[in-house]
Amino acid sequence: MTLALFPLGMISLYQTRSVVERADDLARSALIAETERAVDAERRILLQAVGAGAGLGAAIGPLSEDPARCSEILSDFIVQNPHVAFVGYLPLDGFMECSSTGDPFDFSEFPGFATAIASQRLNFEVNESGAVSGQSVMIANVPVYWAGAFSGFISMSIPHKIVDNEPAGAASQEDARTLVLNRDDEIISASGGLDGAERYLPVGYSLTELRSKAGTTFRAETVEGDPRVFATFTVLEDEVVVLGSWPEEALGVGQGANQGLLTILFPILMWCAGIVVAFFGLHRMVIRNIHALRDATRRFALGERGRNLLTMENPSQEFEEVQRAFNRMTRIIGDAEARREQDLHDKEVLLREVHHRVKNNLQLIASMMNMQTRTVKTAEAKRVLQGLQRRVQGLAAIHRTLYTTPDMTTVDVASLAEEMVTEVTGLAGASNERLKITRNLEPMQLYPDQAVPLSMVLSEMLTNAVKYTGSKEGQNPEIEIGLARDPVGDVILSVENTKGDRFDAEDPSENTGIGSRLMRAFVTQLEGKQDVTEDDTRYCMTVRFHPTGFAQDAA
């Protein structure tokens, strides 16, 4: 039923909309015509003023040097045209000597005078207290050209009371206004007077936009938020814009929509009734059970396993089968996940135990080496055992870090480096009272494939630094350890020590070179690069390599 009624409703809606649009077009055309009739008086007066100004400009051109004769001509014009309150010739310097009153006036300092002279074009102004007439007037400034050059304006003042006495046509309707605006967006005339005329202007429309809408109507809100219908057209080559501001119900605009309301309403109501019936029927039989299935699926996806059985209310046979299949699936998946989690837990426990036992065995070996070191007599044997002990301790630190981290797959290299510094400086017998160690370690995670050789490299670099660190007289020896990533992602490990008089009593000439060979081997294993920089005061060794993912050993 819903599908059958829908096309009928669309056809009715289309036909009614066509009727409404035709009625609306007729109403808009009538509204523009009424606006034109309403401002017919202002338009005729403005056209007469422009024509008279052009004629006066041609007549007084030769008399510009004879202010008395010029004023006499303008005075005669006022007698013959009682709707004009004042007329005068305004030269380029702004000092008016030729006027209908015969009195001189200085307009050079008036606002807008310089702009008007620079434009050299017809313009209209409004002055609610005229400088000469003392009354509210519209001013038409008609350009005067003499001998082919612009020489000033004929300025003509038309009292607003003359315009107000003219019949207003349709604009006399209640709450309807017609407004005449000049090029500067000033209201120069308005039905009902200038006071409060701004309240009837559309918000957000400049004069340029109103001029582009000439000959059309549009809807907009006023500054007070009142929705109105506006009609606009231009006069005198777009110098003047006429705007009719009408209430929305003016001349029946938009009433066609109300007339077609009943035609549209019936099919829409029938269509809505069909939808309501279909909704309640489908909701009880289908949608409600689908929602229950959706909620159960969401809970299952979020990890709820214990209380995630699907329960439908009075399901049909098909939905009852869906319910049984879903509950069976959740039980199977839940049991499989429980077994997998138990297996993972067992593997994690075993892996932690492996790392823990390897760490204990390595520490036991290191302790045995320490005991053996205390029993040997020669310094060379002690150094060999101490070196081996330090390297075994480094391996033990790796396994200790692995079984203490949550995932047991990566190593925090910064923490590992901190431990290596403590152990190496202790094993080397460094004097902590004098030796200053600076650590600049950026936290980062590495897989054991790179963490183990990196710890060995760091151990050898620290041993070398502690062994050969010295200082100038009166200064403390220093070691600076750095661990960071560069912008391209490479890991940079650096150990820098001061040079000078050694604080350690060990003879540096007793060097087997095993440490350097081990460092080269470990750097090769990291697929990195080793650099050494040295001057008179400092020695710095740097290792750079790119971190890689977990590499599974080939079977």
Side-chain angles (χ1 to χ4, degrees):
M1 182 176 62
T2 301
L3 294 177
L5 289 176
F6 183 76
L8 296 177
M10 292 297 100
I11 293 172
S12 175
L13 181 63
Y14 172 76
Q15 292 178 343
T16 304
R17 182 177 179 182
S18 299
V19 173
V20 170
E21 289 179 350
R22 286 196 296 271
D24 197 57
D25 290 340
L26 292 174
R28 290 175 183 274
S29 299
L31 189 63
I32 294 176
E34 288 295 331
T35 303
E36 291 180 351
R37 282 195 294 271
V39 296
D40 186 63
E42 288 95 326
R43 181 169 58 180
R44 283 189 290 104
I45 290 175
L46 292 177
L47 291 173
Q48 291 172 3
V50 172
L56 289 174
I60 68 172
L63 303 176
S64 58
E65 302 298 331
D66 187 358
R69 177 59 181 155
C70 179
S71 297
E72 183 180 350
I73 294 175
L74 297 184
S75 179
D76 292 341
F77 175 81
I78 291 294
V79 173
Q80 298 173 9
N81 297 272
H83 63 279
V84 178
F86 171 81
V87 63
Y89 169 63
L90 184 63
L92 299 179
D93 59 4
F95 189 72
M96 180 184 291
E97 297 180 289
C98 174
S99 67
S100 59
T101 63
D103 299 323
F105 300 96
D106 187 2
F107 291 95
S108 60
E109 300 297 328
F110 269 51
F113 170 75
T115 303
I117 291 296
S119 68
Q120 300 184 13
R121 62 182 299 167
L122 173 68
N123 64 84
F124 297 89
E125 302 177 77
V126 62
N127 193 337
E128 297 187 53
S129 180
V132 179
S133 64
Q135 55 185 313
S136 180
V137 294
M138 290 188 298
I139 303 174
N141 295 314
V142 183
V144 175
Y145 291 88
W146 179 247
F150 174 68
S151 61
F153 289 99
I154 291 294
S155 183
M156 193 175 303
S157 299
I158 305 166
H160 282 112
K161 64 181 182 180
I162 299 297
V163 177
D164 292 340
N165 289 332
E166 297 288 342
S172 61
Q173 296 183 15
E174 184 179 359
D175 203 27
R177 294 290 186 274
T178 56
L179 303 96
V180 181
L181 296 88
N182 64 9
R183 180 172 288 275
D184 296 325
D185 286 343
E186 291 181 315
I187 301 176
I188 60 175
S189 176
S191 61
L194 295 176
D195 292 339
E198 294 84 359
R199 296 187 295 109
Y200 296 92
L201 290 174
V203 174
Y205 285 85
S206 66
L207 188 63
T208 302
E209 293 172 316
L210 293 177
R211 190 177 288 111
S212 67
K213 291 181 175 291
T216 64
T217 61
F218 61 95
R219 285 182 171 87
E221 291 187 354
T222 64
V223 293
E224 297 180 346
D226 182 24
R228 297 178 70 85
V229 179
F230 297 90
T232 179
F233 59 91
T234 59
V235 181
L236 293 172
E237 298 181 355
D238 294 348
E239 286 293 334
V240 174
V241 173
V242 178
L243 182 69
S245 179
W246 305 81
E248 281 198 321
E249 63 275 10
L251 301 179
V253 174
Q255 290 182 2
N258 295 328
Q259 295 172 359
L261 182 60
L262 293 178
T263 307
I264 300 173
L265 187 60
F266 179 74
I268 289 179
L269 288 177
M270 292 296 293
W271 186 59
C272 291
I275 292 178
V276 170
V277 172
F279 173 78
F280 280 106
L282 289 175
H283 182 270
R284 182 165 185 82
M285 293 186 298
V286 179
I287 297 177
R288 180 178 57 179
N289 293 327
I290 291 178
H291 286 173
L293 177 61
R294 180 197 61 189
D295 294 339
T297 304
R298 183 191 301 114
R299 292 195 302 271
F300 185 81
L302 293 175
E304 298 182 14
R305 299 293 186 265
R307 54 182 181 86
N308 197 43
L309 291 178
L310 175 60
T311 303
M312 297 182 180
E313 184 178 351
N314 298 323
S316 62
Q317 182 179 355
E318 292 80 3
F319 277 105
E320 188 174 358
E321 292 178 359
V322 171
Q323 176 178 290
R324 286 197 299 268
F326 180 84
N327 291 334
R328 184 167 57 252
M329 178 197 68
T330 57
R331 284 194 295 270
I332 293 173
I333 294 177
D335 294 341
E337 288 182 345
R339 289 193 300 272
R340 185 184 64 182
E341 290 179 0
Q342 183 62 40
D343 292 343
L344 289 175
H345 177 71
D346 294 342
K347 291 179 181 178
E348 181 179 343
V349 171
L350 290 175
L351 187 57
R352 289 185 185 275
E353 182 65 20
V354 168
H355 286 303
H356 183 67
R357 289 183 180 274
V358 171
K359 186 267 299 182
N360 288 344
N361 290 336
L362 290 173
Q363 284 188 336
L364 178 60
I365 294 172
S367 298
M368 295 170 62
M369 290 181 179
N370 188 39
M371 295 173 60
Q372 189 66 36
T373 301
R374 290 197 295 268
T375 61
V376 297
K377 304 300 182 180
T378 64
E380 182 179 357
K382 284 186 178 182
R383 283 194 300 274
V384 171
L385 288 174
Q386 286 177 348
L388 291 174
Q389 180 187 2
R390 170 175 48 77
R391 295 175 181 111
V392 171
Q393 288 282 29
L395 292 173
I398 292 288
H399 288 278
R400 180 171 60 252
T401 303
L402 283 172
Y403 83 78
T404 56
T405 55
D407 56 6
M408 296 185 298
T409 57
T410 58
V411 179
D412 185 356
V413 184
S415 300
L416 179 62
E418 189 70 38
E419 293 186 19
M420 297 297 297
V421 171
T422 302
E423 292 182 4
V424 170
T425 54
L427 288 174
S431 175
N432 292 330
E433 296 181 357
R434 294 187 55 201
L435 180 61
K436 179 181 177 182
I437 300 178
T438 303
R439 303 165 178 84
N440 298 312
L441 306 176
E442 178 182 331
M444 64 182 68
Q445 301 289 329
L446 291 179
Y447 286 101
D449 289 345
Q450 290 186 313
V452 172
L454 180 63
S455 67
M456 295 294 98
V457 169
L458 178 58
S459 176
E460 299 299 333
M461 293 170 68
L462 287 172
T463 301
N464 187 67
V466 171
K467 184 176 180 180
Y468 293 104
T469 296
S471 63
K472 301 299 181 181
E473 184 177 356
Q475 298 179 355
N476 290 330
E478 298 180 6
I479 295 178
E480 183 175 350
I481 303 102
L483 178 67
R485 285 183 185 269
D486 66 1
V488 299
D490 289 346
V491 177
I492 300 176
L493 173 67
S494 64
V495 177
E496 182 176 352
N497 62 272
T498 56
K499 295 171 61 176
D501 296 334
R502 293 182 63 245
F503 70 92
D504 201 324
E506 185 179 355
D507 186 1
S509 63
E510 300 179 0
N511 182 13
T512 62
I514 186 65
S516 299
R517 292 195 296 273
L518 286 174
M519 278 191 287
R520 287 194 295 271
F522 291 136
V523 171
T524 301
Q525 187 175 350
L526 287 170
E527 298 181 356
K529 180 180 179 182
Q530 176 181 336
D531 293 317
V532 174
T533 57
E534 184 178 8
D535 56 23
D536 294 338
T537 60
R538 304 187 78 85
Y539 178 91
C540 179
M541 180 176 293
T542 303
V543 174
R544 176 192 294 267
F545 66 95
H546 188 75
T548 60
F550 177 73
Q552 187 174 3
D553 293 338

